[in-house]
Amino acid sequence: AVMWRAAAAASAPAPRRRAVSVAVSPAAGLADERVETRVAGLGPGQPVTLRAVAADERGCLFQSCAHYRADGRGELHLGTDASHGGDYTGVEPMGLFWSLAPAGMERPYQRLLPRSTGTPMKVEMLVHQGHSLPGAFPGPVVAKAEVERWFTAPGVRRIRLKEGGVRGSLFLPPGDGPFPGVIDMYGDEGGLIEFRSSLLATRGFAALSLPYFDFEDLPKVMKEFNLEYFEEAARFLQRHPKVKGPGVGVIGTGKGAELALSMITFLPEVVAAVCISGCSSNTVADLHYGEMTLPGLRFDMNKVSVSDAGVFDTFEALDDPTNPANSPCTIPIEKAEGHFLLVVGEDDRMWKSSLYAELAIRRLRQHGKENFELLSYPGAGHRIDPPSTPFCQVALDRVLGVPVLGGGESKAHAHAQEHSWGKIREFLHLHLG
């Protein structure tokens, strides 16, 4: 009988290992929310490479990878398990998203940004056998899943604007409102950039994505600006039946942040300004308002350095705002009745945004004002966007057509994006209701 049992055991099929699976939840969700990524069915301690692959609207391919080992049960959870190599290390639940970068065969220095907010960004998550280096050919795929990252919630309305001189898109949350109103502006890349506005509307704000050059019939280049254009936009938003009064807010990045400072200074309609990586002086283009002109600080192209790889570093190029000769360019922010939220990356290499925030705060304090908050992030670079927006240390400048150093380190920058997004929404709710 013992022999018979031994023979039966020998001929029995080996216990089948269950198939490897990767699950991402939610499989379709908002782009500023975290996802949970779990892998099951691996061998205990099995090494795998997780890869994310996405394409932009033009078909340019972006990818990221990280090295993991399964636990004793053959499972992996990106929320608690650390990456040991690849594009990032440590426990980073969203690391595969924020480290997406142009694939090897694509032109480098491109940004993965949604051009249209009505369609999701699709990201394929792949599990490969073994550890493969970034850029190397990965091992066989053992499991995959697709994730959709949406920039607009169901029910958010997008209204294209041609209202007097004002151009852009108004995003309205579902429901009757009224909602706090926010104007959203980006920097010197120009054109209409909508993804932050659509996410703000998804979070309960009536958000006006406001281009100010290189869009439709607006000026082609940043030569000079009239604050009346921004005043018209602020009045339009303030008077909109879906917008809660009495005042509106503004959020801007780079040149947009500096325009936000001018708006809250001179326009009584604007009562809250979020300034991301801005300058406390007016730069490049003269700003007119009625009889007043704020001249623009100039860039000295002789102070731009170029690396061996051809990357432009503009950190020292802007004229010094503390030079008394440049005091006419200073925005007199002490006149503002509203509140400021200054957001800076301490490793911004585009320009000295940490210094400019210090100058702004010093100016407010000299006039006895404490109407500001500062969020200053070590290791973060220039463009602090909503969470999980892929980090891009060097990006092609749309105007100059050359790669420009934005600074920052990917993990620190990603954490700054996640933390600041919550703080920005809190600040706007606090001061706009």
Side-chain angles (χ1 to χ4, degrees):
V2 173
M3 249 173 71
W4 179 83
R5 277 207 301 273
S11 64
R16 280 193 57 201
R17 272 237 319 263
R18 57 203 168 115
V20 181
S21 64
V22 57
V24 188
S25 68
L30 290 166
D32 61 353
E33 285 179 351
R34 280 189 175 194
V35 296
E36 296 259 323
T37 305
R38 294 174 185 270
V39 183
L42 297 167
Q46 183 179 340
V48 287
T49 298
L50 264 66
R51 265 175 82 229
V53 180
D56 68 8
E57 276 96 336
R58 293 165 307 199
C60 172
L61 211 60
F62 292 76
Q63 59 183 12
S64 59
C65 77
H67 300 161
Y68 289 92
R69 282 188 185 278
D71 63 15
R73 297 190 307 276
E75 293 177 359
L76 256 184
H77 175 24
L78 267 55
T80 51
D81 294 324
S83 161
H84 305 291
D87 291 320
Y88 61 91
T89 56
V91 178
E92 293 293 335
M94 298 302 292
L96 287 167
F97 292 87
W98 54 249
S99 59
L100 281 163
M105 68 285 214
E106 301 289 358
R107 281 175 65 204
Y109 312 134
Q110 298 189 72
R111 283 189 190 283
L112 178 56
L113 290 176
R115 299 273 178 269
S116 107
T117 55
T119 51
M121 184 184 290
K122 292 182 177 171
V123 183
E124 192 169 33
M125 303 291 262
L126 303 152
V127 183
H128 297 266
Q129 279 180 23
H131 287 167
S132 47
L133 293 170
F137 210 69
V141 175
V142 291
K144 60 182 178 180
E146 191 176 78
V147 195
E148 289 187 354
R149 307 283 285 161
W150 285 87
F151 291 86
T152 311
V156 169
R157 286 197 304 152
R158 172 181 179 266
I159 302 154
R160 279 299 298 276
L161 284 193
K162 267 201 167 166
E163 195 68 39
V166 179
R167 301 291 173 263
S169 299
L170 177 62
F171 290 87
L172 294 173
D176 296 334
F179 308 103
V182 182
I183 291 171
D184 176 27
M185 300 180 296
Y186 269 92
D188 60 7
E189 61 268 57
L192 178 65
I193 299 174
E194 299 178 309
F195 73 101
R196 186 166 61 193
S197 303
S198 65
L199 283 172
L200 283 168
T202 292
R203 299 293 174 202
F205 296 93
L208 167 53
S209 181
L210 186 69
Y212 48 92
F213 76 103
D214 197 21
F215 181 71
E216 292 183 353
D217 55 358
L218 296 175
K220 269 277 161 260
V221 292
M222 287 202 302
K223 207 152 76 185
E224 53 185 349
F225 292 123
N226 292 304
L227 200 61
E228 282 82 356
Y229 173 76
F230 302 90
E231 181 175 52
E232 195 183 342
R235 287 181 177 167
F236 163 79
L237 190 60
Q238 186 196 31
R239 291 171 186 165
H240 194 282
K242 291 264 188 185
V243 172
K244 199 188 271 190
V248 297
V250 57
I251 177 171
T253 298
K255 179 68 187 175
E258 173 202 309
L259 286 163
L261 289 179
S262 292
M263 289 170 74
I264 193 171
T265 296
F266 297 111
L267 308 178
E269 296 83 2
V270 179
V271 298
V274 177
C275 304
I276 302 169
S277 311
C279 184
S280 49
S281 293
N282 185 52
T283 66
V284 184
D286 293 357
L287 181 69
H288 307 286
Y289 185 47
E291 299 293 295
M292 180 208 75
T293 295
L294 283 183
L297 279 183
R298 301 297 172 194
F299 273 98
D300 181 350
M301 292 313 280
N302 295 320
K303 290 186 180 165
V304 175
S305 60
V306 186
S307 74
D308 294 343
V311 174
F312 283 58
D313 184 340
T314 58
F315 188 66
E316 296 290 347
L318 188 67
D319 285 350
D320 179 4
T322 63
N323 180 339
N326 292 325
S327 62
C329 304
T330 307
I331 302 164
I333 55 173
E334 70 280 359
K335 294 183 176 172
E337 294 296 326
H339 289 79
F340 300 90
L341 178 62
L342 306 170
V343 183
V344 295
E346 292 173 21
D347 194 31
D348 184 348
R349 293 295 305 178
M350 195 76 79
W351 61 10
K352 303 175 184 180
S353 53
S354 286
L355 167 69
Y356 306 149
E358 271 174 50
L359 294 176
I361 287 169
R362 194 182 309 162
R363 189 171 180 101
L364 290 169
R365 286 200 164 136
Q366 278 168 353
H367 290 84
K369 297 211 154 187
E370 290 289 332
N371 55 342
F372 63 85
E373 286 174 66
L374 172 67
L375 297 175
S376 185
Y377 295 101
H382 182 70
R383 246 184 90 145
I384 298 173
D385 272 325
S388 304
T389 301
F391 171 67
C392 197
Q393 190 184 47
V394 175
L396 274 180
D397 186 284
R398 217 183 54 85
V399 182
L400 301 173
V402 296
V404 174
L405 183 61
E409 179 277 312
S410 58
K411 190 188 291 196
H413 192 90
H415 292 180
Q417 292 193 145
E418 184 153 354
H419 182 264
S420 62
W421 186 237
K423 291 292 187 190
I424 286 166
R425 285 157 40 206
E426 267 174 40
F427 170 84
L428 290 170
H429 273 303
L430 179 64
H431 297 294
L432 303 174

